[in-house]
RNA sequence: GGGCCGGUGGGGUAGCUUGGUAACCUUCAGCGUUUGGGACGCUGUACCCCCGGUUCAAAUCCGGGCCGGCCCA
């Protein structure tokens, strides 16, 4: 008995979140640590999550005018230097290639920390007239940012997988539409696929992407009260177009400078997914991403083995026919209890238990991963029923995450209360803000929390939150920190 | 960036204080018996993180490094 725990999760999500997370990632076979600090190896089960996420997002991109392409891993130093904000913003964390074989290179090559500086010059080449616009390129790639922080698989690694979209537009409005389209798609990915509600907003001045006019993001609240920047979409204005000479001839034959955008979402989304839904039993996955949506565990003995297996395989075949990713766990050397635990650790959303009782009564016992709820369904309409169960699991996951978000947005109009509230509960604290960095700094120094977003409009507030009326209404129109007239509503939170 | 803790078969640990034979649980592979919440028996499986030092002798002591986790800025 003493050793049985070691196969499963031994750390507590609530009390030991960091170690729990590391254990889930490794024991559910999503990733391992690489030999060099800051890098991880993504294992097939982890990569499959990324692939399914990609499928969704990539499909939406293509439906909205984006084409995929691929640019080099290396960027010549002279290219990187053409946009001064990029240089300043990323310089401390760029990895450089200085040698090819035994010979020193004439020009150092940066390992891309982001690709504006190599993609924009080509957009410049390829755009001649207004008829070439808008131009929308995306690439699925990895980038390297040499930060000296501790490794957290999917959340913080020196190299990470992401997609980066780069677009050019004839007008400012065109670029704005683009920025919002991508932000909406990121929100949709989180909410409809990952079952994680997000807040949408823009970043304060100092936290913008280097060189951007506006940086927008979707933010997700983790169960430990910290906010994760889930995806970003930048309006770059004309600064990149000017730096890299993206110009075009308009309808009146005048030369114009384009407006550009860029937007990215990384595998940090997987980190948020794991952190949000998983529990002390292991990984929990929403049906849309799960490598197996349904696992069938047959329960038999010597007498009924054949009937049970027959019955189970027929159901498996029927589900597969219906487009469900189903796995029949027919391993003879493991007993059912072991299989239950193992598939729970692996996060499979729905389990079918099929034994002598089910065969006899022409039924299936259906169990939901998130809460262990058990329902007996008729064999006859199992293919329809399974869709409902998958939806039900999604709804449970979303509801739990939404509850966490709604309960943890608080309105505060006193500085000390901001500090106290964040210290005690974590989560988001919204407060009127004059827009001055110094006022944010005053809070940041004391509680290690910063402004993670300024909502763009009221829609940034989740619907359920509106019911909760009075506690969330802000009375004051003065900056909580300095008393000057407030320009915006700031959301403070601790971050990853 | 500062501090603390850790690294021993695939996973989890003991051994380190007091230097000398690496022990236990589990997984894994094979065979047999089992099978409604982590079954059982037998058999098999070791670069003690790396480099250097001290020593007749280092998992153990010393120095440096690498990797991970936690706390603080």
């Amino acid at each position: 008995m003493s050793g049985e725990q070691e196969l499963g999760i031994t750390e507590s999500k609530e009390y030991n979140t960091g170690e729990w997370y590391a254990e889930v990632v490794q024991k559910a076979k999503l990733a391992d640590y690489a030999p060099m600090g800051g890098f991880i190896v993504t294992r097939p089960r982890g990569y499959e999550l990324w692939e399914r996420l990609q499928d969704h997002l990539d499909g939406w991109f293509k439906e909205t005018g984006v084409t995929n392409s691929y640019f080099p891993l290396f960027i010549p130093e002279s290219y990187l230097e053409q946009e001064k904000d990029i240089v300043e913003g990323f310089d401390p964390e760029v990895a450089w290639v200085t040698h090819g074989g035994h010979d020193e290179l004439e020009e150092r090559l940066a390992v891309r920390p982001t690709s504006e500086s190599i993609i924009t010059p080509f957009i410049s080449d390829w755009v001649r007239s207004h008829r070439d616009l808008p131009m929308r390129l995306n690439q699925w790639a990895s980038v390297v940012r040499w930060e000296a922080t501790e490794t957290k698989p999917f959340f913080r690694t020196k190299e990470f997988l992401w997609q980066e979209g780069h677009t050019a537009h004839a007008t400012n409005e065109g670029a704005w539409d683009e920025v919002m389209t991508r932000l909406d798609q990121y929100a949709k990915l989180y909410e409809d696929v990952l079952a994680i509600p997000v807040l949408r907003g823009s970043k304060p001045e100092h936290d913008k992407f280097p060189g951007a006019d506006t940086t927008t993001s979707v933010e997700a609240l983790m169960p430990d009260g910290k906010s994760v920047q889930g995806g970003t979409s930048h309006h770059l204005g004309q600064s990149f177009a000017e730096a890299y000479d993206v110009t075009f001839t308009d309808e009146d034959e005048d030369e114009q400078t384009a407006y550009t955008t860029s937007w990215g979402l990384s595998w940090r989304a997987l980190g948020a997914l794991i952190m949000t839904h998983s529990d002390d039993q292991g990984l929990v996955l929403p049906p849309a991403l799960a490598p197996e949506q349904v696992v069938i565990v047959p329960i038999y003995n010597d007498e009924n083995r054949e009937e049970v297996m027959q019955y189970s395989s027929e159901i498996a075949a029927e589900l597969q026919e219906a487009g469900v990713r189903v796995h029949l766990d027919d391993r003879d050397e493991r007993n059912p209890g072991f299989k239950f635990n193992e598939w729970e650790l692996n996060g499979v959303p729905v389990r079918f238990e099929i034994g002598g009782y089910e065969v006899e009564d022409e039924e299936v016992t259906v169990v939901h991963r998130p809460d262990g709820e058990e329902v007996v369904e008729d064999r006859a309409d199992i293919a329809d029923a399974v869709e409902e169960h998958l939806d039900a699991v999604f709804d449970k996951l979303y509801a739990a995450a939404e509850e966490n978000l709604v309960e943890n947005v608080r309105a505060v109009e006193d500085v000390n209360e901001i500090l106290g509230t964040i210290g005690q509960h974590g989560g988001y604290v919204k407060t009127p803000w004059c827009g001055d960095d110094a006022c944010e700094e005053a809070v940041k120094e004391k509680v290690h929390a910063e402004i993670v977003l300024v909502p763009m409009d009221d829609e940034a507030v989740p619907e359920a939150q509106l019911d909760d009326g009075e506690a969330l209404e802000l009375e004051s129109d003065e900056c909580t920190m300095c008393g000057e007239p407030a320009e915006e509503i700031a959301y403070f939170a601790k971050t990853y």
Side-chain angles (χ1 to χ4, degrees), chain A residues 430-477:
Chain A
K430 56 185 276 196
T431 200
W433 178 43
C434 63
D436 189 341
D437 280 355
C439 287
E440 179 189 11
E441 203 59 38
V443 171
K444 206 172 176 177
E445 269 174 26
K446 292 186 180 131
V447 282
H448 206 62
E450 57 191 281
I451 296 175
V452 295
L453 85 151
V454 174
M456 287 165 179
D457 48 50
D458 289 342
E459 286 172 35
V461 179
E463 245 176 70
Q465 203 180 310
L466 296 172
D467 306 338
D468 203 9
E470 82 264 54
L472 289 163
E473 286 302 320
L474 289 168
E475 305 287 329
S476 172
D477 52 6

Side-chain angles (χ1 to χ4, degrees), chain A residues 286-316:
Chain A
L289 287 194
E292 305 87 3
Q293 295 171 307
V294 176
V295 63
I296 301 179
V297 176
I299 302 159
Y300 49 73
N301 52 41
D302 276 346
E303 280 84 63
N304 65 15
R305 171 199 212 97
E306 231 167 83
E307 299 92 272
V308 169
M309 286 310 295
Q310 174 71 20
Y311 186 84
S312 300
S313 358
E314 282 169 14
I315 290 173

Side-chain angles (χ1 to χ4, degrees), chain A residues 346-359:
Chain A
N346 286 335
V348 180
V350 168
R351 176 175 74 234
F352 284 6
E353 300 180 6
I354 296 177
Y357 312 147
E358 283 79 5
V359 174

Side-chain angles (χ1 to χ4, degrees), chain A residues 80-90 210-211 239-240 243-244:
Chain A
L80 202 63
E81 282 175 341
Q82 280 178 48
E83 214 293 329
K84 65 176 193 316
D85 292 316
I86 279 277
V87 184
E88 284 172 23
F90 286 101
S239 61
F240 282 77
Y244 295 100

Side-chain angles (χ1 to χ4, degrees), chain A residues 53-263:
Chain A
L53 183 155
Q54 272 186 303
D55 286 346
H56 288 277
L57 207 49
D58 200 59
W60 299 333
F61 289 164
K62 286 174 178 159
E63 286 166 12
T64 46
V66 180
T67 48
N68 283 329
S69 50
Y70 187 80
F71 288 78
L73 169 64
F74 301 129
I75 300 176
E77 187 166 17
S78 55
Y79 274 57
L80 202 63
E81 282 175 341
Q82 280 178 48
E83 214 293 329
K84 65 176 193 316
D85 292 316
I86 279 277
V87 184
E88 284 172 23
F90 286 101
D91 188 55
E93 50 195 53
V94 171
W96 292 99
V97 176
T98 57
H99 291 259
H102 299 297
D103 303 324
E104 191 167 339
L105 302 178
E106 280 183 33
E107 181 178 10
R108 296 197 296 172
L109 299 174
V111 181
R112 61 181 169 224
T114 178
S115 301
E116 278 78 4
S117 55
I118 185 90
I119 294 182
T120 317
F122 283 91
I123 292 180
S124 164
D125 270 5
W126 298 336
V127 170
R128 307 286 299 160
S129 99
H130 67 275
R131 296 195 182 87
D132 297 322
L133 295 173
M135 180 170 287
R136 299 186 180 95
L137 301 175
N138 178 61
Q139 72 173 353
W140 291 93
S142 74
V143 288
V144 170
R145 296 179 186 175
W146 210 269
E147 299 175 89
T149 43
E150 59 269 29
T151 310
K152 191 163 219 172
F154 303 118
F155 274 112
R156 189 169 292 120
T157 49
K158 289 192 173 85
E159 179 189 20
F160 56 89
L161 294 181
W162 76 344
Q163 60 68 216
E164 48 178 322
H166 300 269
T167 69
H169 307 263
T171 63
N172 190 31
E173 300 74 55
W176 260 115
D177 284 350
E178 181 71 21
V179 168
M180 294 314 296
T181 298
R182 302 313 156 196
L183 193 68
D184 285 348
Q185 289 176 338
Y186 292 157
K188 183 176 174 187
L189 180 80
Y190 274 87
E191 293 181 343
D192 296 355
V193 177
L194 306 181
I196 302 174
V198 290
L199 299 180
R200 282 169 244 213
S202 47
K203 289 287 180 184
E205 191 63 25
H206 71 90
D207 202 21
K208 290 190 318 194
F209 179 79
D213 269 15
T214 307
T215 285
T216 67
S217 74
V218 293
E219 300 281 328
L221 185 63
M222 297 296 101
D224 62 357
K226 293 186 191 167
S227 182
V228 171
Q229 178 176 299
T232 50
S233 183
H234 316 289
H235 187 123
L236 303 177
Q238 293 183 303
S239 61
F240 282 77
E242 279 162 9
Y244 295 100
D245 196 29
V246 184
T247 56
F248 63 97
T249 308
D250 69 13
E251 296 90 328
D252 304 322
E253 297 185 18
D254 292 328
E255 180 163 290
Q256 302 283 353
T257 299
Y259 295 81
T260 64
T261 79
S262 67
W263 24 277

